[in-house]
Amino acid sequence: MPETLEMFKKEFRRGLIDEMKIKKHRFVLINSMAMHGDGCRLCHEAELILEKIKSRNPKNRPIVLQHFPLYRKSDAECDQVDEQHEIDLKEMYREQWDTLSKESSLQIIDSLNPKAVFGGHTHKMCKKKWNKTGNSEYFYEYTVNSFSWRNGDVPAMLLVVIDGDNVLVSSCRLPSEILQIMVYIFGGIGIVILAFILISRRVRIFKRRPSYSLLMYRSQEKCD
């Protein structure tokens, strides 16, 4: 809807495709809804912007940030990101629903020649190597896992270090939901036990005070 798009542009100060530099590193931010290639107004505008970016400093390859991952049939095409990464070999992805279309993915690769691509949407971690046709260049695409227990048992984020054309990526995971629940349970039990011990000690102290006071009173009588 045009009204929603204008609100998005105004509130987030972002267009369909934006280019920025951070410490001489180029980043291209893409609105994935404009890359469905269905001939809509957004798609046509995004294609024109891609052509303009294509002609700018081709030697400084950008890093692409977008919501949808590039096209892949399933996570069977992914490499393991870390030891906790379990690759789902069963779920098949749908073009323009779970991933960008194959045509739009190739258009982004050919136009931007990225040195890395980061996306999300599937809520599953993925590291996929893309080889450029016609030369020896390649890049890795990373799909970051959801940072919420609602979308998976092990939330995660990515830590990225950029050194020239090298993009070093490591995952940082939160404790699993089961582990966190166990911490709450044992922590609660520990608090109850500690409270019981403190209360019982306090009761014992109060019980000792009257006998101690009586003993002191009798000692004073003997002295008199």
Side-chain angles (χ1 to χ4, degrees):
M1 295 182 290
E3 297 83 4
T4 306
L5 178 63
E6 289 303 318
M7 181 187 70
F8 177 83
K9 290 180 178 180
K10 179 180 178 181
E11 296 297 332
F12 293 96
R13 298 179 182 179
R14 289 286 175 264
L16 297 178
I17 299 178
D18 293 303
E19 185 180 15
M20 62 174 59
K21 279 188 177 182
I22 301 176
K23 294 183 178 179
K24 298 182 180 180
H25 300 292
R26 292 175 63 205
F27 293 86
V28 176
L29 285 66
I30 298 178
N31 186 335
S32 298
M33 301 307 297
M35 296 305 302
H36 279 288
D38 55 4
C40 69
R41 179 177 63 85
L42 301 182
C43 300
H44 178 66
E45 184 178 344
E47 289 174 359
L48 294 178
I49 297 173
L50 278 179
E51 287 300 318
K52 290 181 180 179
I53 296 176
K54 184 179 180 180
S55 60
R56 300 174 191 166
N57 195 5
K59 293 183 179 180
N60 187 2
R61 300 166 63 193
I63 293 175
V64 175
L65 306 176
Q66 57 184 7
H67 180 70
F68 276 62
L70 299 176
Y71 171 77
R72 62 176 180 266
K73 292 182 179 180
S74 71
D75 283 348
E77 303 176 25
C78 303
D79 299 327
Q80 271 194 317
V81 178
D82 55 36
E83 295 178 355
Q84 292 180 287
H85 182 199
E86 296 181 2
I87 300 175
D88 186 355
L89 303 177
K90 296 180 180 180
E91 183 178 2
M92 303 301 294
Y93 292 144
R94 297 162 291 176
E95 287 187 72
Q96 300 182 344
W97 188 266
D98 300 309
T99 69
L100 292 181
S101 67
K102 189 174 183 179
E103 180 182 356
S104 296
S105 300
L106 293 177
Q107 184 179 20
I108 290 175
I109 294 171
D110 292 338
S111 300
L112 301 178
N113 186 24
K115 58 183 174 184
V117 175
F118 292 89
H121 188 63
T122 62
H123 302 151
K124 296 178 182 178
M125 194 80 78
C126 176
K127 175 184 177 182
K128 180 181 177 180
K129 184 178 180 179
W130 287 82
N131 294 302
K132 291 269 295 182
T133 56
N135 56 48
S136 59
E137 289 183 345
Y138 67 91
F139 68 90
Y140 281 101
E141 177 196 6
Y142 295 88
T143 304
V144 63
N145 196 14
S146 175
F147 199 69
S148 168
W149 283 318
R150 183 174 67 87
N151 298 319
D153 185 47
V154 186
M157 63 180 179
L158 297 179
L159 304 177
V160 182
V161 176
I162 306 169
D163 182 15
D165 285 335
N166 298 318
V167 180
L168 309 176
V169 179
S170 59
S171 63
C172 181
R173 295 181 179 268
L174 289 179
S176 66
E177 188 173 13
I178 295 174
L179 177 60
Q180 194 74 6
I181 292 172
M182 296 300 292
V183 170
Y184 289 152
I185 292 174
F186 286 109
I189 294 173
I191 292 172
V192 172
I193 294 173
L194 179 62
F196 178 77
I197 294 172
L198 293 176
I199 292 172
S200 63
R201 285 183 177 179
R202 194 170 184 181
V203 170
R204 289 177 185 175
I205 292 172
F206 278 118
K207 285 182 178 180
R208 290 174 182 175
R209 280 183 179 177
S211 60
Y212 177 74
S213 300
L214 182 59
L215 180 62
M216 291 295 294
Y217 176 74
R218 289 178 178 176
S219 298
Q220 289 177 1
E221 283 184 341
K222 290 179 179 180
C223 292
D224 294 338

